[in-house]
Amino acid sequence: MPTSLTRRVIDQALALGFDAVGIAAADSLDQDDHALTQWLAGGRHAGMAYMAREPRRRSRPREVLPGAKSVIVLAMNYAQVEPDLRRGTARRAPTSKIVGRVSCYAWGKDYHLVIEERLAQLEAFIHATAGPGTDCRSYVDHGPVLEKAFARQAGIGFIGKNTLLITEAFGSWVFLSVILTTLELEPGLAQTSQCGSCRLCLDACPTGALIGPYQLDANRCISYLTIESKGEIPDELKPQLNGWVFGCDICQEVCPYNAHPKPTAVKAFQPDQGAGPWLDLERLMALTSDEAFREMFRDTPLLRPKRAGLQRNAMALSVNRKGGR
């Protein structure tokens, strides 16, 4: 059984709306560090130069927060109950519009806005409970921390062949965040892969971005190409976009662990709180100013690629529909 202090931290996190909580020791993850080094050396991080900045820190929490003893890993479910979106079958598009698909995580409000507020509340609870001298540092996928690796160590889930963390209760439809702390908490039990011989995600990826089990080449990943990339989408990959204008869920939709999603309890993640599952491409292309773009997608993840990026994606989809230039 967890110690009293560990139990109180976990219970408070659950009370704040996190769906799963685990503790990992703030030890170095040497195997994950080696894997990251190899991934970077192969150029598979594409244009994400920030991944190559001091990569050793990502697997060494004490280099990020001196004196760190524990990593509190938190997961929040964002799944929507759309049965026809699972198992690789796209929901029927609106027939009256030319549309592009949006990754499920971006249907509602920006998850950073939701999670950061709750992390701050959990940090305040830790400081009040543990007393003076306890230090914390929290991140929602924007800090030098291998969140998925520490989630595995904390026992929240295992890393699947599609390189995503898969939980027992929510599949891979979860946002991850972490709190590094100098507080010593009782760690959970690390999980190992439970994919077995399944390779549905590898076979379903239309661009071949999953070049092998647990190996992702971001240069070919639809999510990278439509969100993080600053350049043009390669002509040879445009026909494989499969209608995605922002992100991609294909390797999640076909995963057996995602076959029966539990709907999120967070209202902010619902489609009526943001862009929803489809973008009207004609309306998107009609935006002529960054101000109008920011107003349309205020407080949503779709601000990430900026107007130029989303309109680039829309153009790529339009070229496919017309059979090329």
Side-chain angles (χ1 to χ4, degrees):
M1 294 290 292
T3 62
S4 174
L5 181 56
T6 301
R7 186 70 260 170
R8 291 177 67 186
V9 170
I10 291 175
D11 287 345
Q12 180 64 18
L14 295 173
L16 287 170
F18 292 101
D19 293 298
V21 189
I23 310 296
D27 297 330
S28 300
L29 302 181
D30 293 334
Q31 287 188 336
D32 295 281
D33 176 67
H34 177 73
L36 176 60
T37 300
Q38 294 297 108
W39 187 68
L40 293 169
R44 293 174 183 166
H45 59 305
M48 295 180 285
Y50 59 87
M51 291 296 299
R53 297 191 199 112
E54 300 183 283
R56 283 173 52 87
R57 299 181 73 207
R58 297 180 179 275
S59 58
R60 293 167 171 78
R62 294 187 184 98
E63 293 190 14
V64 179
L65 177 65
K69 292 185 175 68
S70 305
V71 181
I72 305 169
V73 187
L74 308 117
M76 186 173 287
N77 173 34
Y78 67 84
Q80 313 284 341
V81 177
E82 297 279 359
D84 45 357
L85 273 178
R86 309 305 168 213
R87 311 297 292 174
T89 303
R91 192 175 77 165
R92 183 175 298 173
T95 56
S96 60
K97 300 176 182 178
I98 300 175
V99 296
R101 291 189 69 187
V102 175
S103 180
C104 184
Y105 88 86
W107 289 5
K109 288 188 177 180
D110 188 341
Y111 60 96
H112 294 90
L113 303 176
V114 176
I115 297 175
E116 285 172 354
E117 179 181 352
R118 302 187 192 202
L119 286 177
Q121 294 178 55
L122 184 55
E123 279 197 40
F125 173 83
I126 292 171
H127 287 301
T129 302
T134 299
D135 200 2
C136 295
R137 192 164 300 174
S138 59
Y139 297 105
V140 186
D141 76 14
H142 52 55
V145 182
L146 295 177
E147 295 99 338
K148 290 180 289 186
F150 282 104
R152 178 201 65 216
Q153 293 301 107
I156 286 183
F158 64 92
I159 297 177
K161 290 180 181 178
N162 59 3
T163 74
L164 299 176
L165 186 87
I166 300 174
T167 68
E168 180 179 357
F170 307 104
S172 60
W173 307 108
V174 292
F175 295 123
L176 292 176
S177 56
V178 300
I179 297 179
L180 311 183
T181 178
T182 55
L183 188 64
E184 188 164 7
L185 301 172
E186 184 179 351
L189 296 176
Q191 291 198 25
T192 57
S193 176
Q194 300 174 37
C195 290
S197 61
C198 179
R199 52 174 293 120
L200 289 174
C201 58
L202 282 76
D203 295 337
C205 181
T207 61
L210 292 169
I211 57 178
Y214 318 105
Q215 298 182 62
L216 172 71
D217 184 353
N219 294 283
R220 303 186 65 83
C221 178
I222 295 174
S223 285
Y224 168 76
L225 293 171
T226 57
I227 300 175
E228 294 295 319
S229 176
K230 301 297 189 292
E232 287 298 313
I233 297 172
D235 289 340
E236 67 272 18
L237 296 181
K238 290 178 181 178
Q240 279 77 52
L241 291 178
N242 278 31
W244 293 98
V245 69
F246 183 93
C248 176
D249 290 333
I250 292 174
C251 69
Q252 297 195 84
E253 292 173 352
V254 301
C255 178
Y257 288 99
N258 288 333
H260 304 288
K262 296 181 181 179
T264 179
V266 182
K267 180 175 174 57
F269 297 155
Q270 299 293 335
D272 62 355
Q273 299 295 303
W278 300 97
L279 284 191
D280 182 332
L281 299 187
E282 292 185 336
R283 184 184 179 201
L284 174 61
M285 292 304 297
L287 295 174
T288 57
S289 71
D290 293 338
E291 291 75 17
F293 172 80
R294 287 192 292 269
E295 181 62 29
M296 178 180 290
F297 298 114
R298 182 185 304 276
D299 293 339
T300 77
L302 281 86
L303 291 175
R304 177 71 175 174
K306 301 182 180 178
R307 178 169 66 100
L310 267 191
Q311 289 184 336
R312 169 204 61 194
N313 302 342
M315 284 291 294
L317 293 180
S318 298
V319 166
N320 289 343
R321 289 188 176 93
K322 296 174 182 178
R325 286 186 172 87

